[in-house]
Amino acid sequence: MQKLTLKKIAQELDVSISTVSKALRDSHEISKDTREKINAFAKLYNYKPNNIALSLKNRKTKTLGVIIPEIVHHFFTTVISGIEKVANERGYNVIIGLSNESFTKEVINMEMLANGSIDGFILSVSRETQFLKDYHHLTETIYQGMPIVMFDRALPEVECDKVVVDDVEGARKAVLNLISHGCQNIAIITTKDYVSVGMLRTNGYLQALQESNISMNEKIILKLDDKVNEVEHMNLLEKEIKNLLVKNPEIDGIFAVNEIYALSAMKEAQKLGKNIPKDIKVIGFTDGILSKYASPGLTTVSQHGKQIGEKAAHLLIDRLENEHIDTPFQTVVIETELIERESTF
Amino acid sequence: MQKLTLKKIAQELDVSISTVSKALRDSHEISKDTREKINAFAKLYNYKPNNIALSLKNRKTKTLGVIIPEIVHHFFTTVISGIEKVANERGYNVIIGLSNESFTKEVINMEMLANGSIDGFILSVSRETQFLKDYHHLTETIYQGMPIVMFDRALPEVECDKVVVDDVEGARKAVLNLISHGCQNIAIITTKDYVSVGMLRTNGYLQALQESNISMNEKIILKLDDKVNEVEHMNLLEKEIKNLLVKNPEIDGIFAVNEIYALSAMKEAQKLGKNIPKDIKVIGFTDGILSKYASPGLTTVSQHGKQIGEKAAHLLIDRLENEHIDTPFQTVVIETELIERESTF
DNA sequence: AGGAGTTACGCAAACGTTTTCGTGTTAATA
DNA sequence: TATTAACACGAAAACGTTTGCGTAACTCCT
């Protein structure tokens, strides 16, 4: 019934705890007889060493802490599946904390985990953290010797390993694609600039326009506030987009920095009687489920979330297992890929 | 730099470890002077007790293990967000293991966690486990004194707390809704019967037909094999559905047991020139993101995943924190809700 | 037979806590 | 002044491991 321990085995077999431990680790210090007896007993009653005790002894938990802003989000979910895959392959567990885009929750979550529960962090900072620009919890964690790998929303101010996508380039390629399909009045639906990836993608958009000699038109650049993402303001998003489309009927292409924006744009455009892709072509960012099952299927810039997670986990575990060597911090860029579906041709 | 421990504080302040421990817990055994001195020092250098040591001492980790078949799945993701919410509120962490619908991975994952890493499990069994009907890993875990709460895919054979939705009733309501909208030839797209929730939903479908005096038509009952869910067989799903629709042009309503099936059905129907909802009305199961953003919006049976997660976490923690009392096992049924969108009217 | 070497095991410390109990010092009481 | 009570603190055990070291009992050699 109760979990078997070395002590209980020792009592049962009338030997010392150390003998049991050594026997189970097949030490030559122990006679073949005793070794076999102990091993048989342990196997019979399915002895498994206690992880907590091992963690305490080794000062390693073999557990990675993952902090993400939201789990109900396909991108983060694919990243986690990548992390979990390599973590498992390399003998680690994954413990997950959600910040819900809140700075305070991010800090609390990290503090809960940093006191021995995990060996290192993989994280994507919350929107609020980016907004407040308060990174002391990150720098302090690193200072205390706990490695961090940041992904997606990486902060240049924090020195650590990072795995990012080339947001600028991904956006640029997307917009160039729209242009190559003949779009001349390409709107962008993006976030306010303090969201790092939003800004980067906006930059890519601007770059593409510039190198194609299309002058930018401020009226068709829609920078949305955070609150449109909250459930209570669901239709705010739709209103803003509708407004954009109605006031600027010349729009023939839309680049949206995420799936939701892109889908909403398609839906609003369709409501206004526009045909996609004939009248308006749309490209989104993040190859989630939504894009695949939208009608028409949405052309998107895939970020390869699973790859990001895998790489992040490898970076972290590599660093954990080579603590003596101090490798310089790396920033790995995962290539984006344009996945073309019916929304553009 | 290195983490502060009681021992280091003790050395620094020239008192014993026990004194430090007691002072930090504001024991009256320690003089006010010493207490204040120690507390000030601890605060200054931001002392936090080591979780692992506490876990070992208390034989409690304050961590819940969650095992799910897939994380890239909106339903499970909402459940996790519910679990995480109440876990955090009640001072617990959440460690996640993915079975990828594999029996072996489920077993390995549970074994990794069961040896001290967590206090209890919340899990939804893998498809393969249901198929093999091998539950020894579950019963053994329970036998060893570690509580389990099963959700969604619950097994009658295993005695533990459960949180489920009333799949039969949810499906029945959905199909009745179709009928009330005038559908007479309602197809169902479901899974093979060994998937428990698939079968239950199929039963609900049959019930609704029967009580409406509509005779069932085997030709429009499509039971899909697992492999259609795998990426390699992506278009297999579509082919099967197309086949169904072409061979049975009288179909005027479709009930699908999950979002993907429903979306694919809509897409195929549309390709065949059918208008949704005019020619064919569609209802899915699981209120995920897909349903909301589909065009037309998909009417679905919402399972309230977040509530499921919250309830499961409460059940588990309640049991953990009342170990002396032995409460009988409960099966909590979360009500489903029909969310009507454009695919039905 | 006496010394050296081998074999097979146990003791104890360590990881970082909490907590019970023991004890030396001081203050209060008879 | 001698006894007791209160106070303030430390020693040690416990949670379950691993591991360096000590040592009793043999075996072997000369």
Side-chain angles (χ1 to χ4, degrees):
Chain A
M1 167 78 196
Q2 271 294 356
K3 268 277 162 193
L4 200 56
T5 66
L6 290 186
K7 194 198 259 190
K8 288 181 194 150
I9 301 184
Q11 284 169 350
E12 217 57 45
L13 265 48
D14 214 40
V15 290
S16 78
I17 296 182
S18 15
T19 303
V20 179
S21 174
K22 287 171 184 165
L24 292 175
R25 326 195 90 240
D26 268 326
S27 161
H28 55 277
E29 272 188 72
I30 308 298
S31 73
K32 198 160 170 252
D33 261 21
T34 325
R35 242 185 299 162
E36 283 173 353
K37 187 178 62 178
I38 293 178
N39 274 294
F41 187 91
K43 182 156 222 166
L44 179 60
Y45 293 105
N46 193 30
Y47 168 79
K48 293 275 166 53
N50 180 301
N51 284 331
I52 295 291
L54 285 179
S55 295
L56 186 59
K57 179 121 238 300
N58 303 329
R59 280 103 131 347
K60 304 227 157 155
T61 61
K62 289 265 183 182
T63 303
L64 311 182
V66 177
I67 310 278
I68 52 171
E70 262 290 353
I71 198 170
V72 191
H73 195 307
H74 191 262
F75 170 65
F76 287 122
T77 258
T78 55
V79 175
I80 292 180
S81 74
I83 295 175
E84 216 266 349
K85 174 161 167 278
V86 340
N88 258 26
E89 283 168 5
R90 299 184 66 171
Y92 283 73
N93 280 315
V94 175
I95 174 163
I96 291 193
L98 308 180
S99 66
N100 283 321
E101 303 285 12
S102 140
F103 172 74
T104 316
K105 262 210 85 183
E106 182 173 300
V107 173
I108 292 179
N109 249 307
M110 287 189 64
E111 280 178 355
M112 267 188 89
L113 299 180
N115 303 119
S117 301
I118 61 162
D119 295 339
F121 280 109
I122 296 179
L123 73 85
S124 190
V125 294
S126 78
R127 226 185 291 268
E128 200 185 354
T129 306
Q130 289 188 83
F131 183 70
L132 298 174
K133 294 188 192 300
D134 184 345
Y135 312 136
H136 76 272
H137 55 306
L138 304 175
T139 50
E140 269 170 28
T141 305
I142 294 171
Y143 178 71
Q144 294 204 340
M146 178 161 298
I148 291 183
V149 177
M150 301 187 57
F151 73 90
D152 196 48
R153 306 181 185 168
L155 305 170
E157 296 91 339
V158 180
E159 284 194 34
C160 62
D161 290 313
K162 290 161 193 169
V163 183
V164 296
V165 298
D166 190 339
D167 286 289
V168 178
E169 179 59 15
R172 183 177 152 271
K173 282 195 294 194
V175 176
L176 286 179
N177 184 276
L178 286 174
I179 295 172
S180 78
H181 279 92
C183 300
Q184 283 294 319
N185 299 287
I186 302 173
I188 180 173
I189 307 178
T190 181
T191 63
K192 297 279 186 197
D193 281 345
Y194 66 84
V195 180
S196 60
V197 296
M199 192 178 64
L200 293 172
R201 292 169 196 172
T202 307
N203 288 347
Y205 161 82
L206 294 173
Q207 257 184 44
L209 292 189
Q210 194 171 10
E211 65 188 85
S212 308
N213 291 317
I214 299 180
S215 56
M216 98 175 184
N217 174 359
E218 291 227 358
K219 291 198 316 202
I220 60 177
I221 295 183
L222 184 57
K223 291 192 182 177
L224 293 169
D225 203 275
D226 243 19
K227 61 180 180 230
V228 302
N229 298 314
E230 293 159 27
V231 197
E232 311 94 75
H233 302 93
M234 266 275 285
N235 40 21
L236 197 61
L237 170 62
E238 291 160 16
K239 262 187 219 158
E240 292 258 29
I241 293 176
K242 182 175 176 184
N243 196 28
L244 171 76
L245 293 173
V246 170
K247 286 201 178 156
N248 304 281
E250 76 277 14
I251 292 174
D252 54 5
I254 298 178
F255 172 59
V257 299
N258 62 44
E259 274 189 311
I260 306 284
Y261 291 178
L263 271 275
S264 302
M266 290 215 291
K267 226 172 179 176
E268 291 307 314
Q270 284 168 333
K271 277 191 201 160
L272 293 172
K274 306 271 191 182
N275 176 288
I276 294 172
K278 250 198 286 175
D279 304 327
I280 301 183
K281 303 191 199 308
V282 183
I283 297 188
F285 212 105
T286 294
D287 184 35
I289 303 208
L290 287 176
S291 309
K292 186 153 61 196
Y293 288 97
S295 34
L298 176 66
T299 296
T300 60
V301 180
S302 166
Q303 301 177 79
H304 297 142
K306 191 158 185 179
Q307 266 186 48
I308 294 180
E310 291 173 3
K311 190 64 200 179
H314 274 307
L315 278 178
L316 181 54
I317 298 177
D318 284 349
R319 189 168 290 279
L320 289 172
E321 300 192 340
N322 295 301
E323 264 177 330
H324 44 289
I325 318 165
D326 65 334
T327 336
F329 293 122
Q330 300 181 44
T331 294
V332 177
V333 178
I334 303 290
E335 289 298 312
T336 60
E337 181 189 1
L338 193 66
I339 299 189
E340 302 202 60
R341 298 206 181 82
E342 301 88 48
S343 70
T344 47
F345 69 97
Chain B
M1 166 76 198
Q2 271 295 357
K3 267 278 163 192
L4 200 55
T5 67
L6 290 185
K7 194 198 258 191
K8 287 181 196 151
I9 301 183
Q11 284 169 349
E12 216 57 45
L13 265 46
D14 213 41
V15 290
S16 78
I17 295 181
S18 13
T19 304
V20 178
S21 174
K22 287 171 186 166
L24 291 176
R25 327 194 88 239
D26 268 326
S27 160
H28 54 278
E29 271 189 76
I30 307 299
S31 72
K32 198 159 168 252
D33 260 23
T34 325
R35 242 186 300 161
E36 284 173 353
K37 187 178 61 179
I38 293 178
N39 274 295
F41 186 92
K43 181 155 221 166
L44 179 61
Y45 292 105
N46 193 31
Y47 168 78
K48 293 274 166 53
N50 180 302
N51 285 331
I52 295 291
L54 285 178
S55 296
L56 185 59
K57 179 118 238 299
N58 303 329
R59 281 104 129 346
K60 304 228 157 152
T61 61
K62 289 269 185 178
T63 303
L64 312 181
V66 177
I67 310 278
I68 53 172
E70 261 291 352
I71 199 171
V72 191
H73 195 308
H74 190 263
F75 170 66
F76 287 122
T77 260
T78 56
V79 175
I80 292 180
S81 75
I83 294 175
E84 216 266 350
K85 174 162 167 279
V86 340
N88 257 26
E89 283 168 6
R90 300 183 68 171
Y92 283 72
N93 279 316
V94 174
I95 174 162
I96 292 192
L98 309 179
S99 66
N100 284 321
E101 303 284 12
S102 142
F103 172 76
T104 316
K105 261 209 85 183
E106 182 174 300
V107 173
I108 292 180
N109 250 306
M110 286 188 65
E111 279 178 355
M112 265 188 90
L113 298 180
N115 303 119
S117 302
I118 60 162
D119 295 339
F121 280 109
I122 295 179
L123 74 83
S124 191
V125 294
S126 78
R127 226 185 291 268
E128 199 185 354
T129 306
Q130 289 189 83
F131 183 70
L132 299 174
K133 294 189 192 298
D134 184 346
Y135 314 135
H136 76 271
H137 54 307
L138 304 175
T139 50
E140 268 169 27
T141 305
I142 294 171
Y143 178 73
Q144 294 205 339
M146 178 159 300
I148 291 184
V149 176
M150 302 186 57
F151 71 91
D152 196 47
R153 306 179 185 169
L155 305 170
E157 296 91 340
V158 180
E159 284 194 35
C160 63
D161 291 312
K162 290 161 193 168
V163 183
V164 296
V165 297
D166 190 340
D167 285 290
V168 179
E169 179 60 15
R172 182 177 152 272
K173 282 194 295 193
V175 175
L176 287 179
N177 184 276
L178 286 174
I179 295 172
S180 78
H181 279 92
C183 300
Q184 284 294 319
N185 299 287
I186 302 173
I188 180 173
I189 307 178
T190 181
T191 64
K192 297 279 185 199
D193 281 345
Y194 65 84
V195 180
S196 59
V197 296
M199 192 180 63
L200 293 172
R201 291 169 196 172
T202 307
N203 288 348
Y205 161 83
L206 295 173
Q207 257 184 43
L209 291 189
Q210 193 171 11
E211 67 189 86
S212 308
N213 292 315
I214 299 179
S215 56
M216 100 174 185
N217 174 359
E218 291 226 0
K219 291 200 314 203
I220 60 176
I221 295 183
L222 184 57
K223 291 192 182 176
L224 293 170
D225 203 274
D226 243 20
K227 61 177 180 234
V228 302
N229 299 313
E230 292 159 25
V231 198
E232 311 93 74
H233 301 94
M234 266 276 285
N235 39 21
L236 197 60
L237 170 62
E238 290 160 17
K239 262 187 216 157
E240 293 258 28
I241 293 176
K242 182 174 176 184
N243 196 29
L244 172 78
L245 293 173
V246 170
K247 286 200 177 156
N248 305 282
E250 76 278 12
I251 291 174
D252 52 6
I254 299 177
F255 171 60
V257 299
N258 62 44
E259 274 188 311
I260 306 284
Y261 291 178
L263 270 275
S264 302
M266 291 214 292
K267 226 171 178 175
E268 290 306 312
Q270 284 168 334
K271 278 192 200 160
L272 293 172
K274 307 272 191 181
N275 177 288
I276 294 172
K278 250 198 285 174
D279 305 326
I280 302 184
K281 302 189 200 309
V282 183
I283 297 188
F285 214 106
T286 294
D287 185 35
I289 301 210
L290 286 176
S291 310
K292 186 153 63 196
Y293 287 97
S295 32
L298 176 66
T299 296
T300 59
V301 180
S302 166
Q303 302 178 79
H304 296 143
K306 192 160 184 178
Q307 266 186 48
I308 294 180
E310 291 172 4
K311 189 64 200 176
H314 275 306
L315 278 178
L316 181 55
I317 297 178
D318 284 349
R319 190 168 289 279
L320 288 174
E321 300 192 341
N322 295 301
E323 265 177 330
H324 44 289
I325 319 166
D326 65 335
T327 335
F329 293 122
Q330 301 181 45
T331 294
V332 177
V333 178
I334 302 290
E335 290 298 313
T336 59
E337 182 190 2
L338 193 67
I339 299 189
E340 302 202 57
R341 299 205 180 82
E342 301 88 46
S343 70
T344 48
F345 70 98

